[in-house]
Amino acid sequence: MNSEDTLKRLKTVEGHLRGVIRMVEENEYCIDIIRQIQAIEAALNKVSSRILEDHLNSCVITAIQGNDKKERERVLKEITEVFEMSTKV
Amino acid sequence: MNSEDTLKRLKTVEGHLRGVIRMVEENEYCIDIIRQIQAIEAALNKVSSRILEDHLNSCVITAIQGNDKKERERVLKEITEVFEMSTKV
Amino acid sequence: MNSEDTLKRLKTVEGHLRGVIRMVEENEYCIDIIRQIQAIEAALNKVSSRILEDHLNSCVITAIQGNDKKERERVLKEITEVFEMSTKV
Amino acid sequence: MNSEDTLKRLKTVEGHLRGVIRMVEENEYCIDIIRQIQAIEAALNKVSSRILEDHLNSCVITAIQGNDKKERERVLKEITEVFEMSTKV
């Protein structure tokens, strides 16, 4: 996985989240807080997509080109699962 | 693709959608209509997941086990794209 | 509710959905089908937002300006509920 | 706004996010990381819903019962906007 890019993005999200916590502490306007939370979620979606992309281009290729049928099925099942979950969060 | 199951699910969604159109024509309560639209979206998410599952277990395996590097990259890129889009709809 | 605009949008979605059913019947490429389903969901989200907007500007205003506290709580609770559900579909 | 509950929830999310950052640093399995990110998003959705609920029961009621038509329109428009955005993240 391209950990550096992922880490950088997640640390940005962490800073963003701390900003939101401060907004709540300072009693800022509810809708502004919700909008910032939505921005955080959009950023997290982006991170997940990047991680999935790396995963497809490493583990998934290895598993599918390998001889272990069970392992192949496992990695493909996981992708369907995170896809399905992504439609729910 | 397991077309029969997919077709059956999509036709159920079509019936559901016609029901929603009727609800609008008969001026039913807004919130009830929104809830039915959300149920349709949940059903569509389910259909997409099933289609993706079939796709992974057919085209994607074939492409990754094949010798065409470009084709391999293409199918993996598509999966990241539909995943990313799934977080937006 | 602005039924005419809503009806028009929903009938467009119905046509779009029929197109997707045809794509499945004609064994078109899985990813293309998923993309069309995602486009349908985006359109449905748009419809829900319009319906909610109308609802806020009619029923919700009436309820909140009325004297029935229970009714007021009910309409506000419903909005939170469809919002929460919208994050899940 | 019920700031205490919101703050507590957001701080839990912050801890969760730090855990995810650690998972990335320790090179944990991609899919496990994606799942944790999705769990964070589900928690954030919950926070947004709670904030919206409080907002409806305070600012929105005040605005709608008040005499300022512009202000009334503004608060209702905002709700439609965060609803629409919630279908996109």
Side-chain angles (χ1 to χ4, degrees):
Chain A
M1 182 167 61
N2 182 347
S3 308
E4 262 173 73
D5 176 63
T6 304
L7 270 180
K8 208 179 125 192
R9 284 173 186 269
L10 286 173
K11 283 177 181 172
T12 306
V13 171
E14 199 191 359
H16 201 159
L17 181 59
R18 258 193 233 121
V20 171
I21 290 175
R22 223 164 17 242
M23 289 175 83
V24 175
E25 286 169 343
E26 293 169 5
N27 258 308
E28 290 201 27
Y29 188 51
C30 302
I31 295 292
D32 292 339
I33 296 171
I34 293 176
R35 282 185 179 133
Q36 292 308 314
I37 291 176
Q38 292 177 329
I40 288 176
E41 294 184 83
L44 288 173
N45 284 333
K46 205 92 190 163
V47 177
S48 291
S49 297
R50 293 291 78 69
I51 296 176
L52 182 67
E53 191 174 22
D54 293 332
H55 178 63
L56 289 166
N57 285 293
S58 53
C59 310
V60 175
I61 288 185
T62 308
I64 292 182
Q65 290 179 340
N67 291 314
D68 187 341
K69 190 163 177 279
K70 271 228 168 113
E71 172 67 3
R72 209 153 63 212
E73 282 168 2
R74 196 184 59 76
V75 298
L76 294 179
K77 199 170 160 40
E78 280 175 347
I79 293 168
T80 310
E81 283 166 4
V82 294
F83 176 79
E84 191 156 357
M85 184 51 75
S86 77
T87 64
K88 291 185 190 152
V89 290
Chain B
M1 184 169 59
N2 183 347
S3 309
E4 260 174 74
D5 175 62
T6 303
L7 270 180
K8 210 179 124 192
R9 283 172 186 269
L10 286 173
K11 284 178 180 171
T12 304
V13 171
E14 198 191 1
H16 202 158
L17 180 59
R18 261 197 229 116
V20 170
I21 291 174
R22 224 167 12 244
M23 287 174 83
V24 175
E25 286 169 343
E26 293 170 4
N27 258 306
E28 290 201 25
Y29 188 52
C30 302
I31 295 291
D32 291 339
I33 295 171
I34 293 176
R35 283 186 178 132
Q36 291 309 314
I37 291 176
Q38 292 178 328
I40 287 175
E41 293 184 85
L44 287 173
N45 283 334
K46 203 95 190 159
V47 177
S48 291
S49 298
R50 292 291 77 69
I51 295 177
L52 181 68
E53 189 174 24
D54 292 333
H55 178 62
L56 289 166
N57 285 292
S58 53
C59 310
V60 175
I61 288 186
T62 307
I64 292 182
Q65 291 180 338
N67 293 313
D68 187 341
K69 189 162 177 280
K70 271 228 167 114
E71 173 67 2
R72 209 153 63 211
E73 282 167 1
R74 197 185 57 77
V75 299
L76 294 179
K77 199 170 161 42
E78 280 175 348
I79 291 168
T80 311
E81 283 166 3
V82 294
F83 177 79
E84 190 155 358
M85 184 50 76
S86 79
T87 65
K88 291 185 191 151
V89 291
Chain C
M1 184 169 60
N2 183 348
S3 309
E4 260 174 74
D5 175 63
T6 304
L7 268 180
K8 210 180 125 193
R9 284 173 186 269
L10 286 174
K11 282 177 181 172
T12 305
V13 171
E14 197 190 2
H16 202 159
L17 180 60
R18 257 193 234 121
V20 171
I21 290 174
R22 222 165 16 242
M23 288 175 82
V24 174
E25 285 169 344
E26 292 170 5
N27 259 307
E28 290 200 26
Y29 187 52
C30 301
I31 295 292
D32 292 339
I33 295 172
I34 292 175
R35 282 184 178 133
Q36 291 309 313
I37 291 176
Q38 292 178 330
I40 287 176
E41 294 184 83
L44 287 173
N45 283 334
K46 204 94 191 159
V47 177
S48 290
S49 298
R50 293 291 78 69
I51 296 176
L52 182 68
E53 190 173 24
D54 292 332
H55 178 63
L56 289 166
N57 285 293
S58 52
C59 309
V60 175
I61 288 186
T62 308
I64 292 182
Q65 292 180 338
N67 293 313
D68 187 343
K69 189 162 176 279
K70 270 227 167 114
E71 173 67 2
R72 209 153 63 211
E73 283 168 0
R74 197 186 57 76
V75 299
L76 294 179
K77 198 170 162 39
E78 280 175 348
I79 291 168
T80 310
E81 283 166 4
V82 295
F83 177 79
E84 189 156 359
M85 183 52 74
S86 78
T87 65
K88 292 186 189 152
V89 291
Chain D
M1 184 169 58
N2 182 346
S3 308
E4 261 175 73
D5 175 63
T6 303
L7 269 180
K8 209 179 124 192
R9 284 173 186 270
L10 285 173
K11 284 178 179 172
T12 306
V13 170
E14 199 191 359
H16 201 158
L17 181 59
R18 260 194 232 121
V20 170
I21 289 175
R22 219 161 23 237
M23 288 175 81
V24 174
E25 285 169 344
E26 293 171 4
N27 258 307
E28 289 201 27
Y29 188 52
C30 301
I31 295 292
D32 291 339
I33 296 170
I34 294 176
R35 282 186 179 132
Q36 291 309 315
I37 292 176
Q38 292 178 329
I40 287 175
E41 294 184 82
L44 288 173
N45 283 333
K46 204 94 190 160
V47 178
S48 291
S49 298
R50 291 294 76 70
I51 296 176
L52 181 67
E53 190 175 23
D54 291 333
H55 178 63
L56 289 166
N57 284 293
S58 53
C59 309
V60 175
I61 287 186
T62 308
I64 292 182
Q65 291 180 340
N67 292 313
D68 187 341
K69 190 162 175 279
K70 271 228 168 113
E71 172 68 0
R72 208 155 62 212
E73 282 168 0
R74 197 185 58 76
V75 300
L76 293 180
K77 199 170 161 40
E78 281 175 346
I79 292 169
T80 310
E81 283 167 3
V82 295
F83 177 79
E84 190 155 356
M85 184 51 74
S86 77
T87 64
K88 290 185 191 152
V89 290

